[in-house]
């Protein structure tokens, strides 16, 4: 089946919100806040990539993810590179990504234990339209008041270094072991490659493109899957209707039609654009 709507899985989080984003139903005022929306393939499929929306009202934990080698050494299928497209942010919202200055492992561990790690991180102000690519090993923390789309390797292996006193387990040995101790360097994508097509990320683990509205042909190599994430607009992929807030998997060749106001993300595994 060339195109398929994916199931939406809403994840309640204490740091989530009761007001989400156009395309998503708000939880009831007396219900638990929703922090994440995941899009899942049917059955027990475990594809290479995972698409999420995040809605934050508090700072998330300071955390880090292993790369493929470190994950596989623990018997896990893959590590976790990820990226974030900011859809909306309150005026004072920030994301911490990497240390402000290079650290050593002992300093990182001590700072995680006493909470001063928060002051060692590079907190960057964010606004709608900002884009960040965080390769595995990048110490990071997503701040409050942010709505974003996350594209990631399909792994939930997270090593928490600091959690603002919340009663959750920390993973200092594993986290310090995989953390990159140098400053974060922004990933520079190819940018605009043709009218209406921008490459935000090109490898090493996935490619992420951004498209404007109109019709186009999607052609993926045999056996590979792509993920279409409509940020705005409506349309169809091979007769399967979509709207903002949906997510579709696409394989093989498919015809995409999109309204003129459409804003679309398209992600697929690998380091080379299709």
């Amino acid at each position: 089946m060339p195109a398929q709507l994916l199931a939406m899985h809403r994840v309640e989080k204490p740091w989530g919100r009761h007001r989400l984003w156009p395309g998503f139903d708000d939880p009831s005022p007396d219900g638990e806040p929703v922090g994440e929306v995941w899009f899942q393939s049917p059955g027990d499929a475990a594809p290479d990539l995972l698409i999420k929306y995040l809605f934050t009202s508090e700072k998330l934990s300071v955390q880090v993810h292993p790369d493929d080698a470190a994950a596989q050494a623990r018997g896990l299928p893959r590590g976790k590179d990820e990226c974030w497209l900011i859809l909306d942010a309150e005026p004072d919202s920030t994301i911490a990504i990497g240390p402000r200055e290079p650290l050593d492992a002992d300093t990182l561990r001590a700072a995680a234990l006493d909470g001063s790690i928060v002051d060692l991180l590079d907190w960057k102000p964010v606004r709608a339209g900002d884009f960040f690519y965080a390769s595995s090993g990048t110490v990071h923390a997503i701040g409050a008041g942010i709505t974003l789309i996350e594209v990631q390797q399909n792994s939930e292996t997270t090593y928490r270094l600091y959690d603002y006193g919340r009663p959750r387990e920390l993973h200092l040995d594993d986290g310090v072991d995989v953390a990159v101790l140098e400053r974060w360097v922004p990933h520079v994508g190819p940018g605009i490659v043709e009218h209406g097509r921008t490459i935000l990320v090109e490898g090493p683990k996935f490619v992420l493109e951004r498209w404007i509205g109109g019709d186009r042909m999607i052609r993926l190599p045999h056996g590979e899957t792509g993920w279409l994430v409509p940020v705005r607009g409506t349309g169809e992929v091979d007769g399967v209707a979509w709207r903002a807030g949906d997510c579709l998997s696409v394989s093989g060749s498919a015809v995409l039609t999109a309204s003129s106001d459409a804003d679309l993300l398209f992600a697929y595994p690998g380091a080379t654009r299709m």
Side-chain angles (χ1 to χ4, degrees):
M1 186 173 182
Q4 184 175 26
L5 279 170
L6 299 183
M8 182 188 300
H9 175 58
R10 294 157 68 94
V11 183
E12 296 174 347
K13 296 284 188 179
W15 46 259
R17 297 207 305 262
H18 287 92
R19 293 185 62 84
L20 302 183
W21 182 251
F24 299 96
D25 294 331
D26 292 336
S28 62
D30 56 349
E32 294 297 319
V34 171
E36 300 180 357
V37 170
W38 301 13
F39 292 95
Q40 299 178 316
S41 301
D44 297 327
D48 290 336
L49 301 184
L50 177 65
I51 311 298
K52 295 180 181 179
Y53 280 73
L54 270 67
F55 316 97
T56 71
S57 63
E58 301 175 7
K59 286 182 178 179
L60 278 58
S61 63
V62 178
Q63 55 188 243
V64 64
H65 310 293
D67 62 14
D68 286 355
Q72 290 162 6
R74 295 296 186 90
L76 303 168
R78 62 181 68 86
K80 184 176 175 182
D81 282 19
E82 61 188 336
C83 63
W84 310 301
L85 175 66
I86 309 299
L87 299 181
D88 189 43
E90 295 177 2
D92 57 350
S93 294
T94 56
I95 283 179
I97 185 162
R100 287 189 290 110
E101 300 295 339
L103 303 174
D104 58 56
D106 289 341
T107 299
L108 178 61
R109 176 187 289 274
L113 284 169
D114 66 18
S116 62
I117 188 172
V118 174
D119 299 320
L120 297 182
L121 297 178
D122 188 5
W123 291 91
K124 297 184 179 296
V126 297
R127 60 182 180 180
D130 286 347
F131 180 79
F132 300 89
Y133 182 88
S135 59
S136 54
T138 302
V139 179
H140 62 277
I142 295 173
I146 297 174
T147 300
L148 61 80
I149 295 173
E150 178 174 292
V151 177
Q152 60 163 91
Q153 287 183 274
N154 192 3
S155 168
E156 285 310 299
T157 302
T158 295
Y159 299 144
R160 279 188 295 273
L161 297 172
Y162 180 70
D163 202 21
Y164 305 95
R166 299 179 183 117
R168 295 196 296 175
E169 181 184 5
L170 300 180
H171 314 92
L172 295 186
D173 290 342
D174 290 328
V176 172
D177 185 54
V178 303
V180 174
L181 303 174
E182 302 297 319
R183 296 189 65 184
W184 173 77
V185 178
H187 178 92
V188 179
I192 297 172
V193 294
E194 61 185 61
H195 176 69
R197 182 186 178 197
T198 300
I199 310 294
L200 298 175
V201 168
E202 191 170 49
K205 300 301 178 183
F206 56 83
V207 179
L208 181 63
E209 305 195 7
R210 192 171 191 177
W211 302 338
I212 64 171
D215 301 345
R216 68 176 63 237
M217 190 73 186
I218 299 173
R219 293 184 176 90
L220 289 159
H222 177 73
E224 290 199 1
T225 298
W227 286 262
L228 181 70
V229 188
V231 180
R232 186 175 61 246
T234 57
E236 293 184 352
V237 180
D238 272 6
V240 178
W242 53 261
R243 62 179 179 82
D246 287 334
C247 182
L248 302 89
S249 62
V250 181
S251 59
S253 297
V255 177
L256 167 69
T257 61
S259 57
S260 60
D261 66 335
D263 181 6
L264 307 169
L265 297 179
F266 192 73
Y268 48 97
T272 305
R273 74 188 76 163
M274 63 181 189

